[in-house]
Amino acid sequence: MSWFDFDWVDAFTDRAFGGNGCAVVHGGAALSDNTSMAFVQETSLVECTFTGPSEVADIRVRYFLASREIPFAGHPTIATVAAMRSRGLIQGNTLTLETGAGVVSIRLIGDEIEMIQVAPQFGAYVPADLVAAAIGLSQDDIISPPQFVSTGLPFCVAVLHDHDALRAAKLNVEALRDVSEMAGFSGSDMAEPFLVTLKGATDAGDTFSRLLLAPPSPPEDPFTGSATGAMAAYLWKHGLMAKDRFTAEQGYDMGRPGQATVTRVGPSDAMTGIKVAGRGHVLMRGQVNLPEVSV
């Protein structure tokens, strides 16, 4: 038997059952891909993390979906640090994480956990009609040219006209394949569009977003920290966000409200990073037995 300590953390929230959940398996970075993906599928969560020793940072973090390993993800980063802090594993108020997207710097500011995502990379534009078909909307519902942006993980950012369009969006997996092909994705991998409106879900918010997911992931992600960084970079680059620091909201219509504070590093035409900060609530902890899973 292979027993590991784990914490189940709700990220980008300060209360139980808000934000986005992530199970953090301490010392599990050496587990096989198959075992890690099977664990994610067993939890019914979108992503889980597995930690281990690092030669280049304070700790190594591996990020898994039910279908594959990914280089980086936002809410699991918040969850991982919240779990470590709750166990007394962090000394001081700074930390570095070795991820597949490089070393990520963390700063603890009171109850908030702030991660500095890498400088945004702006990829290909995607025809609005392709994105509209993938989310079941009219091309007129999209008010700015959709574009792939990455601050560690690529997303197709699409700005929608209003909350009505945001709430009406429904994923068409077959049409999504056309968008995914433009990102160089293959097989079962998908490049789901990150949908954003320029009005918060509450008076405290500046943006309200959704991320619809293709199987085998759950249908929708309650809060997406990596996409929030990419979305913020897009808004600043295209002159759609006047503030240097703003509040992003997601998950409210799912009954899992989440908020992040997003801050630009550098000028809008030469960003060197994106700061994304949020809270984490440790919901449960225990041990899990993870035997190796064969192909």
Side-chain angles (χ1 to χ4, degrees):
M1 294 189 295
S2 301
W3 289 94
F4 295 86
D5 291 333
F6 82 95
D7 294 297
W8 188 302
V9 183
D10 288 334
F12 289 110
T13 183
D14 57 1
R15 66 171 180 83
F17 316 123
N20 202 350
C22 172
V24 181
V25 180
H26 300 278
L31 289 166
S32 70
D33 291 6
N34 288 333
T35 296
S36 301
M37 290 185 293
F39 177 69
V40 179
Q41 192 162 6
E42 182 74 7
T43 65
S44 295
L45 293 166
V46 175
E47 292 145 337
C48 296
T49 61
F50 303 79
T51 69
S54 171
E55 295 182 355
V56 298
D58 293 313
I59 193 165
R60 181 188 181 200
V61 184
R62 298 182 71 191
Y63 302 81
F64 278 90
L65 304 170
S67 58
R68 68 186 189 277
E69 183 175 8
I70 56 177
F72 174 77
H75 91 268
T77 297
I78 299 295
T80 300
V81 176
M84 293 178 62
R85 181 168 61 178
S86 74
R87 289 177 177 264
L89 299 176
I90 301 175
Q91 304 299 319
N93 60 1
T94 61
L95 183 73
T96 54
L97 310 179
E98 178 191 352
T99 77
V103 174
V104 174
S105 296
I106 302 292
R107 186 169 59 145
L108 305 181
I109 310 169
D111 292 336
E112 279 204 326
I113 298 165
E114 180 186 80
M115 57 182 155
I116 303 180
Q117 298 180 3
V118 298
Q121 295 183 343
F122 296 94
Y125 286 96
V126 183
D129 61 327
L130 289 184
V131 176
I135 57 177
L137 296 179
S138 164
Q139 184 174 336
D140 294 337
D141 291 319
I142 300 173
I143 64 171
S144 185
Q147 183 180 19
F148 280 104
V149 185
S150 174
T151 54
L153 191 66
F155 290 91
C156 178
V157 178
V159 183
L160 302 186
H161 186 270
D162 54 27
H163 286 184
D164 288 341
L166 184 70
R167 293 185 171 112
K170 293 183 180 179
L171 194 65
N172 181 325
V173 176
E174 289 304 315
L176 180 62
R177 297 188 191 283
D178 293 333
V179 177
S180 299
E181 287 177 2
M182 294 199 67
F185 285 41
S186 61
S188 61
D189 292 346
M190 291 289 183
E192 293 96 346
F194 190 65
L195 313 177
V196 58
T197 58
L198 300 175
K199 180 181 179 181
T202 72
D203 291 340
D206 297 290
T207 61
F208 183 31
S209 302
R210 293 181 71 195
L211 180 66
L212 307 178
L213 299 173
S217 294
E220 185 168 349
D221 200 25
F223 201 99
T224 320
S226 51
T228 295
M231 171 270 290
Y234 176 96
L235 296 183
W236 282 315
K237 179 178 186 288
H238 290 274
L240 298 174
M241 175 58 65
K243 298 179 179 180
D244 295 339
R245 175 187 176 99
F246 70 91
T247 299
E249 296 182 320
Q250 190 179 342
Y252 280 76
D253 290 347
M254 302 175 65
R256 299 193 63 94
Q259 287 188 336
T261 303
V262 193
T263 307
R264 191 180 72 230
V265 182
S268 58
D269 59 351
M271 289 172 273
T272 58
I274 304 292
K275 295 179 180 179
V276 180
R279 294 176 171 84
H281 177 86
V282 179
L283 181 67
M284 67 179 94
R285 70 170 30 141
Q287 290 187 313
V288 58
N289 180 18
L290 293 176
E292 284 299 322
V293 175
S294 59
V295 178

